[in-house]
Amino acid sequence: AVIDSSKVDEIEQIYDYVVVKVPILKPQLNLFWSQRQYMCIEAQLSIKVKLEELKNQMGLLENLGSLHTLLVDSVKDLAILQTKMTELMFTTDRIYLDPSFGPTYSLNRYRNWISNEYHRGTKIYKILNDEKWVGFFMPKENDGTMDGLLGGLFSDFQGEGLGIVLPFMPLLVNSNARKYETKISLNNFPVIQVYNQCGYRFTNIEYVFVKHTK
């Protein structure tokens, strides 16, 4: 691919922070962005699964207790969710890892994101286990496909074996979707292993380059 450097110059003059996603097996593009002082901060893995196939793996949840979901259906619930979200939830996030941003900026980004989606009407679900609110899941459904926008376990419940819950969230919420798709950072290798164990298919990888222009 040939990139018009003058167009890139224009973009860099307008924006303080630029993100570029590059397909794998395009070394000329990697070189181009590296020479322009862009940093490769992560690779993103696209995954998907047919929900009918995911049902075959539900036995993995048998020892987890009483697992269910409830909608975040009030501004009060949303505020509680934002409070329960902490910096330790997002340690593999590219904003968290970027020295020009850091943990606090990363947390505020996610809090603002879920607030914006809530007010747009996007469904946000509490994940409850034995009546304890252990995490959240925010999907968006379109034409039979559920897109996993964001989700995770609160830091107080990480390291307790509950990570296996996340791949099954599409089956636990009230949805008519036939398949589920999302993207995971390769920085988060333990989560990738869990999704692989649950039968998700890996469909694409792309590199993410970033640059702070100011």
Side-chain angles (χ1 to χ4, degrees):
V2 178
I3 300 175
D4 187 341
S5 294
S6 63
K7 295 291 185 182
V8 178
D9 292 336
E10 290 177 15
I11 292 171
E12 291 180 356
Q13 302 229 340
I14 296 172
Y15 298 102
D16 295 344
Y17 175 67
V18 183
V19 179
V20 180
K21 295 186 179 182
V22 179
I24 59 172
L25 301 178
K26 298 289 183 180
Q28 71 277 19
L29 292 179
N30 297 341
L31 180 61
F32 174 86
W33 295 111
S34 296
Q35 289 176 336
R36 291 196 63 107
Q37 298 182 316
Y38 280 72
M39 174 176 63
C40 184
I41 200 162
E42 71 174 357
Q44 286 188 339
L45 177 67
S46 297
I47 64 174
K48 69 177 181 180
V49 69
K50 292 181 180 178
L51 299 192
E52 188 64 34
E53 296 175 359
L54 193 57
K55 291 178 182 178
N56 298 330
Q57 303 293 326
M58 286 291 284
L60 294 171
L61 300 180
E62 287 180 354
N63 298 321
L64 288 183
S66 177
L67 184 69
H68 60 286
T69 62
L70 290 176
L71 270 176
V72 173
D73 59 1
S74 68
V75 174
K76 180 180 178 180
D77 261 359
L78 176 65
I80 294 172
L81 170 56
Q82 290 174 307
T83 300
K84 287 180 175 291
M85 296 167 64
T86 62
E87 294 174 357
L88 293 176
M89 287 185 68
F90 306 109
T91 56
T92 61
D93 171 47
R94 69 171 180 264
I95 302 298
Y96 184 104
L97 295 172
D98 190 326
S100 296
F101 289 134
T104 301
Y105 199 104
S106 173
L107 176 59
N108 289 337
R109 170 180 177 246
Y110 284 119
R111 284 175 171 170
N112 291 336
W113 185 5
I114 65 167
S115 178
N116 290 340
E117 291 294 339
Y118 175 84
H119 291 292
R120 290 189 188 109
T122 301
K123 292 181 178 179
I124 304 171
Y125 294 89
K126 306 176 188 180
I127 305 173
L128 296 108
N129 194 51
D130 291 329
E131 302 308 320
K132 295 178 181 178
W133 189 352
V134 300
F136 73 97
F137 178 58
M138 185 171 71
K140 183 168 284 189
E141 189 176 340
N142 182 37
D143 195 25
T145 297
M146 187 188 295
D147 182 8
L149 299 182
L150 186 63
L153 299 174
F154 302 134
S155 54
D156 287 347
F157 298 97
Q158 293 178 2
E160 296 184 2
L162 289 174
I164 194 68
V165 170
L166 298 178
F168 294 99
M169 290 313 302
L171 288 180
L172 296 173
V173 302
N174 185 20
S175 168
N176 295 316
R178 298 183 301 276
K179 62 181 178 178
Y180 174 73
E181 298 179 348
T182 192
K183 291 185 178 182
I184 305 174
S185 172
L186 287 179
N187 294 338
N188 198 350
F189 187 66
V191 168
I192 293 171
Q193 289 179 304
V194 172
Y195 277 91
N196 183 50
Q197 180 183 359
C198 294
Y200 280 67
R201 293 183 177 84
F202 301 159
T203 59
N204 188 46
I205 297 175
E206 54 192 1
Y207 301 119
V208 180
F209 287 80
V210 299
K211 182 178 182 180
H212 296 268
T213 61
K214 301 292 190 295

